[in-house]
Amino acid sequence: MEAAEIASITQHSGGAIGAAWLMIALPLVGAAVLLLGGRRTDKFGHLLGVLMAVASFVVAALAFVQLLGFAPGERRRGVSLFEFIPGLVDKVGLLVDPLSISFCLLITGVGSLIHVYSIGYMAHDPNRRRFFAYLNLFVAAMLLLVLADNYLALFVGWEGVGLASYLLIGFWQHKPSAATAAKKAFIVNRVGDVGLLIAMFTIFATFHSLTFSGVLDRAGDASQGTLTAIGLLLLVGACGKSAQLPLQSWLLDAMEGPTPVSALIHAATMVTAGVYLIVRSGPIFEGTGTAQLVVTIVGVATLLAGAIIGTAKDDIKKALAGSTMSQIGYMVLAAGVGPAGYAFAIAHLITHGFFKADMFLGAGSVMHAMNDEVDMRKYGGLRKVMPITFATFLVGYLAIIGFPLLSGYFTKDGIIETAMEHSAVLGWLAVLGAGITGFYMSRLVFMTFFGKKRWDAKAHPHESPAVMTVPLLLLSIGSIALGAYLILGNRFMIFLSPAVGAPEHLPEFHPFSAPGLATLALVAIGAAFAWLRYGAAEVPATAPRGSFLTTFARRDLYGDALNEALFMRPGQWLTRLAVFFDNRGVDGLVNGLAASIGGSSGRLRRVQTGFVRSYALSIFVGAAVLVGAWFVVGNL
Amino acid sequence: MTTHYLVLSALLFAIGGVGVLVRRNAIVVFMCVELMLNACNLAFVTFARQNGSLDGQVIAFFVMIVAAAEVVIGLAIIVTIFRTRRSASVDDASLLKH
């Protein structure tokens, strides 16, 4: 097969694709009704939220079916919405193509399941309506992000998901830790956003357009240096949103939010927006080897860092968050390889969306049963009391470690093979990351579901209600089957090729390649090691001190300490200096001036005695002096 | 011939001026002001006579009218102050210095 070029965009109206704006509008209306309606909507708020998410999914599914009806070369459909600032973005529109529709199906599909799950999870929360309003707001913003046909609208969605993420991380804002975590996520994301904004400025200065069609079709016209600059700045934006090194520090703290939020925003969808940005801007990155190299290095570094952090966490959600970082590292690595990796990046993104959401929701189910305990050292032996949660979690676990024939096996193996062809070093580091994944995920599963009960005296774990377990079951079906469906026969790569292009030679799936076997072996070793340490052996109730390596991993590779030393402390010094200068310098000057004027006025005031006769005397004296002076001058 | 009138005018003006400066009673001060105004009037009329023009006489009328208006307002103020403070001394009315 020839190297597939990116197809041009066909204008479209009518049908489900023409109504693609409904996908965004429905959840937005839901959010508006729930937020403006206030307590009046408390009774049905959660149902409206679910309804809007499901309706959005239905539109996405119909649009997907309609898209499949076109020939592959015509599967990029532009839907124009309204005229905007001429010269900047002439028309704001939506772009429905294989890439964006894949995201739409993931966001609305997994999003709907998580909405349903949240009915049960948030059942006892007095602010459940507000929670659903924010969830709907998130879905709307995320869909705008992936459906936009220009960088400006993408940026609006980009900020929208940032806002929703902030609101949802800090949903329990009465907890200081949650409020701090929300602010931290917001600030770190702003750093990335500055990168994205400057990238947009540079794009506009170079191409005089912000639409994808106007920029990406002409990416080859720009100089190598400009493309590298744009690519690196886009990468900064992607790093912020996707928690890649060096902007990774917010994701672990973001676990302060309710668990469905961690599943939807901080595992399945929002954190993958960076991968979307890189893949969507593919022609820019393909024009510059430097930017691609940096992308792959960031990906590999993050996949290892996330995996190492995951090994040391006792908090079940933080261990999963480390794992999310690591898996997105895989996606970024694949996205940096170029057209050969795009399909694997997005395929892994989709399967990861399923199995990671599955595991996060499973973790939420466990927490729900254990009075919101998150310390895995106080779990143990839960597989007997929570059979459905255990079974679905096990599926997600097997999928993420790449157990043969499950989703993660196909997609992650694809990434490793692609990276291996690109550069052996990157490939083997990715294999090593897979081995560590095998260890930390096994550790998590053994500590939670196997071994002896280490529960608190007050804990009475029970299986969660059906409204929570049914989404788990549906997600685990995706975790089992989706990978094979997407990867075998390069089905997904061919489907995506009109949107992102495809390599000259479609890869073939080798079940017994050397890297594949090495991955399996390392994963098996990691899992066995985890069984020895945490399955067969007794897990101590308090974490042992461990070596300096353990501390290194527990402290998130000193990421926070680094940020603190490099940015926070100097920032505080700067503010202190500014405050000092303001108090002593600026205020001193202003206050001193005022005090001197006040003091001299006080002295001058004494002249006013209030005695009419003394005023009269001064008038007379003055007049006499004037008359005298006149005589003197007149006589000269 | 007109020198006598001018000397009288200067004398009256000086008496009025000294009265304004040394007396405390507001009514007397007021009367002294009137004395000074009329001394000026006398000087104006004298010069008008001396120069054979009517300008000085006309100005004298203006001064009388202004003086009449001044008396009305000035007396009203003095009476009001006296009613509230039971004193007609100009030295007592010194609150505005604060």
Side-chain angles (χ1 to χ4, degrees):
Chain A
M1 186 179 158
E2 295 281 309
E5 289 292 313
I6 297 180
S8 56
I9 297 172
T10 320
Q11 282 304 313
H12 181 100
S13 62
I17 295 179
W21 59 272
L22 267 179
M23 265 190 264
I24 303 169
L26 285 170
L28 200 61
V29 167
V33 168
L34 294 183
L35 284 177
L36 299 177
R39 301 216 167 277
R40 278 181 292 271
T41 52
D42 269 354
K43 284 229 167 68
F44 59 90
H46 51 290
L47 298 177
L48 182 74
V50 171
L51 181 74
M52 288 305 177
V54 172
S56 192
F57 174 68
V58 170
V59 178
L62 290 175
F64 175 63
V65 171
Q66 198 188 358
L67 196 68
L68 287 181
F70 294 107
E74 295 171 358
R75 282 188 189 160
R76 303 195 79 201
R77 317 297 290 186
V79 185
S80 62
L81 289 184
F82 55 87
E83 311 245 323
F84 201 54
I85 308 166
L88 184 67
V89 179
D90 295 332
K91 280 180 184 164
V92 172
L94 303 180
L95 175 59
V96 181
D97 72 352
L99 179 61
S100 61
I101 203 73
S102 307
F103 268 90
C104 288
L105 288 172
L106 174 73
I107 296 160
T108 55
V110 174
S112 297
L113 292 177
I114 293 174
H115 272 74
V116 172
Y117 175 94
S118 305
I119 295 179
Y121 190 80
M122 302 295 284
H124 305 301
D125 196 295
N127 289 316
R128 181 165 68 164
R129 167 192 54 85
R130 193 160 56 89
F131 181 78
F132 275 88
Y134 293 160
L135 276 191
N136 267 353
L137 176 70
F138 168 76
V139 170
M142 188 72 202
L143 287 170
L144 176 63
L145 194 165
V146 297
L147 278 171
D149 75 342
N150 59 70
Y151 281 102
L152 199 63
L154 178 144
F155 189 72
V156 174
W158 188 272
E159 292 300 305
V161 294
L163 170 70
S165 159
Y166 166 78
L167 291 171
L168 284 165
I169 295 171
F171 185 73
W172 289 321
Q173 76 271 55
H174 52 83
K175 286 197 297 184
S177 56
T180 315
K183 279 187 278 186
K184 184 175 180 186
F186 202 74
I187 291 168
V188 177
N189 267 297
R190 290 292 79 67
V191 177
D193 293 347
V194 168
L196 179 55
L197 262 181
I198 301 177
M200 280 164 56
F201 298 158
T202 319
I203 286 172
F204 188 71
T206 314
F207 300 102
H208 305 293
S209 172
L210 280 174
T211 56
F212 291 146
S213 55
V215 174
L216 302 177
D217 295 352
R218 290 187 283 132
D221 302 348
S223 71
Q224 190 82 16
T226 316
L227 285 183
T228 307
I230 296 174
L232 291 178
L233 287 165
L234 287 174
L235 178 64
V236 172
C239 283
K241 197 57 85 190
S242 292
Q244 300 295 291
L245 290 174
L247 300 176
Q248 85 293 355
S249 62
W250 64 273
L251 186 61
L252 291 159
D253 293 301
M255 296 301 127
E256 287 291 338
T259 309
V261 174
S262 311
L264 177 61
I265 301 186
H266 306 117
T269 54
M270 185 192 82
V271 285
T272 57
V275 182
Y276 170 79
L277 184 69
I278 295 174
V279 172
R280 179 59 87 192
S281 311
I284 290 176
F285 285 94
E286 285 153 33
T288 155
T290 320
Q292 279 191 316
L293 179 68
V294 178
V295 172
T296 50
I297 290 173
V298 165
V300 167
T302 312
L303 82 86
L304 288 174
I308 292 169
I309 291 172
T311 57
K313 292 290 174 187
D314 289 332
D315 179 328
I316 186 168
K317 285 179 73 182
K318 292 206 169 173
L320 285 173
S323 154
T324 303
M325 251 176 82
S326 169
Q327 298 302 311
I328 297 171
Y330 276 103
M331 299 169 207
V332 170
L333 166 64
V337 169
Y342 292 155
F344 290 117
I346 304 297
H348 193 56
L349 192 157
I350 292 172
T351 55
H352 173 257
F354 275 85
F355 59 67
K356 186 53 69 64
D358 181 21
M359 280 190 288
F360 259 117
L361 295 186
S365 177
V366 170
M367 285 160 60
H368 201 63
M370 301 290 284
N371 297 337
D372 287 330
E373 178 63 60
V374 290
D375 189 351
M376 292 191 289
R377 292 185 187 278
K378 294 187 176 163
Y379 291 169
L382 285 171
R383 70 179 187 283
K384 287 188 184 124
V385 281
M386 308 183 72
I388 302 176
T389 304
F390 169 65
T392 52
F393 202 99
L394 195 67
V395 169
Y397 156 69
L398 291 175
I400 196 176
I401 63 169
F403 193 80
L405 305 182
L406 269 70
S407 282
Y409 169 69
F410 290 100
T411 52
K412 193 194 281 179
D413 206 54
I415 291 177
I416 291 174
E417 299 263 355
T418 320
M420 196 68 83
E421 270 178 39
H422 186 71
S423 142
V425 180
L426 294 179
W428 285 111
L429 286 174
V431 171
L432 178 65
I436 305 177
T437 309
F439 170 71
Y440 71 76
M441 285 311 301
S442 310
R443 171 179 179 270
L444 195 156
V445 168
F446 294 147
M447 280 176 88
T448 305
F449 293 103
F450 290 83
K452 287 187 184 147
K453 299 171 184 173
R454 301 179 300 273
W455 309 339
D456 270 345
K458 277 182 266 174
H460 300 291
H462 50 86
E463 184 56 275
S464 298
V467 75
M468 290 167 73
T469 50
V470 170
L472 284 175
L473 289 169
L474 290 174
L475 284 170
S476 50
I477 291 171
S479 311
I480 295 172
L482 208 55
Y485 179 78
L486 293 177
I487 298 300
L488 288 182
N490 288 312
R491 201 177 269 123
F492 193 59
M493 189 173 274
I494 295 168
F495 173 66
L496 270 190
S497 61
V500 300
E504 288 181 35
H505 305 288
L506 285 181
E508 285 172 34
F509 183 72
H510 304 291
F512 298 113
S513 64
L517 289 176
T519 309
L520 283 182
L522 271 178
V523 167
I525 293 171
F529 188 57
W531 173 253
L532 284 180
R533 291 288 304 277
Y534 300 100
E538 193 82 0
V539 180
T542 49
R545 279 188 59 204
S547 64
F548 78 97
L549 275 174
T550 323
T551 319
F552 183 56
R554 264 184 208 148
R555 300 277 307 272
D556 309 341
L557 315 185
Y558 293 111
D560 283 336
L562 189 76
N563 283 344
E564 193 174 312
L566 272 186
F567 302 108
M568 199 185 101
R569 296 284 166 219
Q572 283 181 333
W573 291 332
L574 195 69
T575 52
R576 266 182 220 143
L577 197 71
V579 166
F580 180 80
F581 177 72
D582 188 48
N583 282 346
R584 297 293 166 85
V586 178
D587 284 7
L589 191 72
V590 174
N591 290 345
L593 198 65
S596 68
I597 288 178
S600 52
S601 312
R603 258 168 235 119
L604 209 60
R605 201 193 58 176
R606 305 251 167 87
V607 175
Q608 304 287 331
T609 54
F611 292 117
V612 177
R613 293 178 304 138
S614 69
Y615 300 157
L617 181 63
S618 58
I619 291 170
F620 275 109
V621 170
V625 166
L626 277 179
V627 170
W630 184 68
F631 268 113
V632 171
V633 174
N635 290 343
L636 277 178
Chain B
M1 186 187 68
T2 52
T3 320
H4 298 100
Y5 293 100
L6 288 178
V7 170
L8 177 62
S9 164
L11 272 175
L12 287 175
F13 190 85
I15 292 167
V18 171
V20 167
L21 290 182
V22 301
R23 299 305 297 260
R24 286 199 182 82
N25 190 319
I27 304 284
V28 179
V29 170
F30 209 62
M31 281 155 60
C32 292
V33 170
E34 291 300 312
L35 200 58
M36 289 164 78
L37 284 170
N38 282 309
C40 293
N41 276 353
L42 185 58
F44 274 124
V45 173
T46 308
F47 285 125
R49 175 86 180 173
Q50 192 176 337
N51 295 339
S53 78
L54 282 174
D55 294 358
Q57 305 210 11
V58 171
I59 290 180
F61 276 112
F62 276 115
V63 172
M64 279 182 214
I65 291 161
V66 171
E70 183 221 331
V71 166
V72 170
I73 294 171
L75 273 178
I77 292 173
I78 291 168
V79 168
T80 315
I81 290 177
F82 184 78
R83 276 185 183 161
T84 52
R85 309 184 68 83
R86 291 279 139 206
S87 156
S89 166
V90 289
D91 286 1
D92 289 346
S94 62
L95 285 177
L96 275 179
K97 74 178 173 186
H98 295 297

